[in-house]
């Protein structure tokens, strides 16, 4: 059997993969969804938020078809002027995670950049397949935009952001807002985004049983969301943004991805399609980086560089 040729993991990151695998196995099959919902649940944030001088307000808002969604509004303590706003979509393969999953990576936006962040418990597949996750997020976007005054958000500085599955949701939000004449966005942050249900890229075939989120995990996530429609022409670009034929008229995008993960090629292709449509995208492909290594290994040189590049872009886009 011919061995698969793939990029090597960064040595510092590779050393941490064994630890990561105990919480987030490289291959996730449907029978592991319940385990992942426990393993990937976020830790309590109260102490972390207090140490950062961030105020938290928990609310219930209407999601798709009027269902109740839990959201949290995170605001820098002691600031009462209107600030830029970010709607955040959490990671978790569309099947697990909650509104605080991975959020510690972007809390600097709140207490250092003065951002008001809204994060959402959108409903999860397979119990709630497409269109529930994306339409829950779109309902939250419309709610946020219509409550800017109450939330202390500047309407001209509203950005969508997400990581992994959340990055795909954020990209879909930007497309839907453009097409529906919805809220005007000043940017979209797409961290190693989950964009393409078809699984045909070269990078998708390079990672089986290794790293974080391999080919089988990806099929599990897309099957949970789309069922038998996965790979069919009927799949909406709001669910799988790589399906979009027109990427013109979108807000500026920040896209980053590891060179040693399955989402590499679809992220690169998405940035290229934005450029070909005359749009603005900043793309970072991190050598030796496995999927979401900045979440699992933020102390490493690669993890720190990813976080720093992202924060710099957000500061630029949200500034006057």
């Amino acid at each position: 059997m011919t061995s698969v040729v793939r990029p090597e993991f960064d040595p510092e990151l590779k050393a941490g993969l064994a630890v990561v695998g105990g919480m987030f196995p490289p291959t996730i099959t449907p029978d592991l969804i319940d385990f992942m919902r426990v393993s990937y649940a976020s830790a309590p944030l109260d102490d972390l938020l207090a140490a950062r001088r961030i105020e938290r307000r928990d609310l219930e808002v209407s999601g798709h078809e009027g269902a109740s969604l839990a959201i949290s509004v995170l605001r820098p303590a002691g600031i009462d002027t209107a600030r830029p706003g970010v709607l955040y979509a959490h990671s978790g393969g569309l099947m697990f995670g909650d509104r605080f999953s991975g959020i510690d990576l972007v809390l600097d936006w709140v207490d250092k950049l003065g951002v008001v962040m809204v994060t959402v418990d959108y409903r999860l597949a397979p119990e709630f397949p497409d269109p529930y996750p994306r339409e829950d997020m779109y309902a939250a976007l419309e709610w946020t935009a219509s409550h800017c005054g109450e939330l202390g958000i500047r309407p001209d500085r509203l950005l969508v952001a997400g990581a992994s599955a959340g990055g795909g949701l954020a990209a879909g939000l930007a497309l839907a807002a453009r097409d529906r004449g919805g809220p005007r966005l000043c940017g979209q942050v797409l961290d190693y985004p989950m964009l393409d249900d078809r699984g045909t890229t070269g990078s998708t075939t390079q990672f089986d049983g290794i790293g974080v989120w391999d080919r089988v995990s990806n099929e599990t996530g897309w099957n949970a969301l789309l069922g038998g429609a996965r790979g069919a022409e009927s799949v909406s670009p709001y669910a799988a943004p790589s399906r979009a034929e027109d990427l013109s008229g979108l807000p500026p995008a920040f896209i980053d991805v590891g060179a040693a993960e399955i989402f590499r090629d679809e992220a690169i292709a998405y940035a290229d399609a934005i450029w070909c449509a005359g749009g603005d995208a900043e793309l970072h492909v991190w050598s030796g980086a496995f999927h979401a290594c900045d979440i699992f290994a933020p102390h490493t040189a690669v993890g720190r560089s990813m976080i720093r590049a992202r924060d710099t872009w957000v500061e630029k886009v949200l500034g006057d």
Side-chain angles (χ1 to χ4, degrees):
M1 180 180 293
T2 304
S3 61
V4 175
V5 177
R6 65 174 70 89
E8 293 291 331
F9 295 121
D10 173 87
E12 189 181 14
L13 292 175
K14 187 175 182 180
L17 269 178
V19 177
V20 173
M23 178 185 73
F24 204 114
T27 301
I28 297 170
T29 50
D31 59 296
L32 288 177
I33 293 175
D34 287 341
F35 165 78
M36 292 304 302
R37 287 179 175 174
V38 175
S39 176
Y40 198 62
S42 62
L45 278 188
D46 289 342
D47 291 344
L48 179 61
L49 295 182
R52 285 178 168 268
R53 288 185 50 77
I54 293 175
E55 299 171 350
R56 169 181 164 186
R57 180 184 175 197
D58 297 331
L59 299 168
E60 297 283 331
V61 302
S62 293
H64 182 48
E65 298 179 338
S68 180
L69 301 179
I71 71 165
S72 289
V73 180
L74 306 178
R75 184 177 179 83
I79 296 179
D80 55 9
T81 57
R83 304 299 305 163
V86 173
L87 180 68
Y88 181 77
H90 70 77
S91 54
L94 299 165
M95 302 173 290
F96 44 86
D98 56 58
R99 66 188 185 276
F100 301 125
S101 298
I103 204 168
D104 51 319
L105 289 184
V106 295
L107 288 179
D108 279 354
W109 300 356
V110 181
D111 64 343
K112 294 185 179 179
L113 302 184
V115 160
V116 176
M117 184 171 294
V118 178
T119 184
V120 184
D121 269 338
Y122 58 85
R123 284 171 289 178
L124 300 172
E127 294 88 346
F128 294 96
D130 187 63
Y132 287 93
R134 61 181 171 91
E135 292 300 340
D136 279 350
M137 287 302 305
Y138 192 80
L141 174 62
E142 289 198 315
W143 179 88
T144 300
S146 66
H147 288 77
C148 279
E150 173 190 337
L151 297 172
I153 291 175
R154 288 179 53 177
D156 63 333
R157 289 292 187 275
L158 182 58
L159 179 148
V160 292
S164 193
L169 288 169
L173 284 175
L175 289 167
R178 178 199 65 183
D179 296 345
R180 298 173 182 178
R184 194 169 188 83
L185 302 174
C186 69
Q188 51 180 324
V189 176
L190 316 180
D191 293 329
Y192 28 85
M194 184 177 176
L195 299 168
D196 197 340
D197 64 295
R198 293 166 291 192
T200 57
T201 65
S203 59
T204 304
T205 65
Q206 287 184 307
F207 300 92
D208 270 329
I210 188 170
V212 171
W213 198 254
D214 69 357
R215 176 185 59 83
V216 174
S217 300
N218 203 43
E219 291 175 355
T220 300
W222 283 115
N223 285 337
L225 183 74
L226 301 174
R230 183 174 73 87
E233 290 301 315
S234 59
V235 172
S236 170
Y238 306 144
S242 287
R243 300 298 198 112
E245 296 181 358
D246 178 13
L247 294 186
S248 64
L250 294 174
F254 176 94
I255 303 172
D256 67 344
V257 70
E261 65 159 296
I262 66 168
F263 291 151
R264 181 193 66 222
D265 293 349
E266 61 199 67
I268 293 171
Y270 201 72
D272 186 60
I274 291 174
W275 294 324
C276 288
D280 180 357
E282 180 170 316
L283 172 68
H284 295 260
V285 182
W286 298 99
S287 178
F290 61 78
H291 182 65
C293 67
D294 57 337
I295 290 178
F296 296 112
H299 59 284
T300 61
V302 175
R304 293 196 308 270
S305 295
M306 291 173 71
I307 295 166
R308 184 165 56 248
R310 183 184 310 130
D311 291 354
T312 298
W313 186 90
V314 169
E315 184 175 18
K316 176 187 71 174
V317 169
L318 294 183
D320 288 315

